[in-house]
Amino acid sequence: MNYKKNHFFIENISSEKIAEKFATPIYCYSYKILKTNIKNFKRNFKTIKPTICFAVKSNTNLNLLREIKKFGLGADVVSMGEMMIAKKAGISSKKIVFSGVGKTKKEINYAIEKNILLINAESKSEIILIEKIAKYKKKKVNIGIRLNPNTNPKTLDQISTGKKENKFGVSENTFLELVNYIKNSSYLNLKCLSVHIGSQILSHKPYEKMLKVLDKIIKKSNHNFEFLDLGGGMGIPYENKFKKLNYKKYSSAINRLLKKHKSKIIFEPGRSIVGNAGFLITKVLYIKEAQNKSFVILDAGMNDMMRPALYGVKHKIVPSIKSKNYSKKTYEFVGPICETTDKFSTLSKFQKLNENDIIIICDTGAYGVSLSSNYNVRPKPPELLIKGSKINVIKRREKLEDLI
Ligand code: LLP
């Protein structure tokens, strides 16, 4: 952990200093961790030399995206808004892929106008609509078809996307039918087979299974796909007991597939790039005694960080100043929101806390701000990017006037 003499630091700045200067709750990102994650991701797949399209949904901060772009990453987007943010961050259209089951006519129009690398289509109706728009614009449009490989990603049900009961992609039979349809189209160019089986995946085995399905279907389709877009989903260890994803085995399995089918690989990672680079700094407002436990009421709530309330998952919670004086009672860390699910964690072994203490909720760089809301008319926290001893405010705190 990032303690220096018992004080929690993000790079060279202590968390209390940030809280004091900018107030709480506040999101901070470490540039160094972001950079390391990107370097590691590239190194893990260095034999594959993939095009890495950052999943913008995981963190939509424009300035952070500008930094990510500087490392050569493209963008995986799922809406017109995300496409516009990616463009504004300076990401070249040649590195933008567009996924999603419900693309509107307006969004498809925009994607075609911007000449993005790929529209990854998810149904026959969508393909027919893309073709119609392409014909109207007298353009040949590059598309991918998203396959639903019916592979269990062994992650939370709520973030599984590659099982047959999930709404994403098309079945093998539909895939083959669509390959033939597109081959005969004058306005569509079938460039890619795309998949994304789920998120927060910590075992390489589901990926191996998915690649076997790909091998079979590529053979059956008798088509040369210039790209295989394998999506994202690489998980991170939110809790110490989690084991890490074996990138070596995943990469080897991809290399085996590439020996049989010559294609370029695209990845769409989100969490593995930004997840552990983000910290939510929050203050203890009140400590309320209850039977057998104390409620630690924080100034950050489920509207600021929704993952625990939405999925029942835990994020590490750490104090800004470490002490050896443990609380005798169990602490239930909750937010101020009027919902019972506004709860971050229940910990039986934690140091004794006082009101006004600062604590940090870790690994909140992915799906933290991007899933946040203004529920209870609460302005969203500011976002800081920390580079060594420098603090850049990359998003200001929302004001009540913005909301009212
Ligand atoms: N590509 C597609 C088509 C996706 O749907 C997603 C995530 C990604 C890439 C990026 O996946 P990642 O590498 O970040 O796992 N809100 C949830 C996660 C939902 C992910 C949705 N799709 C959470 O907080 O865990």
Side-chain angles (χ1 to χ4, degrees), residues 298-315:
L298 305 172
D299 64 0
M302 64 186 275
N303 71 300
D304 303 304
M305 224 287 279
M306 204 184 185
R307 299 194 71 252
L310 197 55
Y311 310 116
V313 295
K314 283 193 181 139
H315 282 244

Side-chain angles (χ1 to χ4, degrees), residues 55 57-58 76 99 146 159 161 196 198-200 231-234 268-272 307 311 366-367 371:
K57 67 169 81 65
S58 65
D76 157 51
S99 321
R146 178 163 171 184
I159 52 177
T161 51
H196 171 76
S199 201
Q200 184 52 13
M234 299 80 172
E268 303 169 352
R271 189 187 322 263
S272 50
R307 299 194 71 252
Y311 310 116
Y367 309 105
L371 272 182

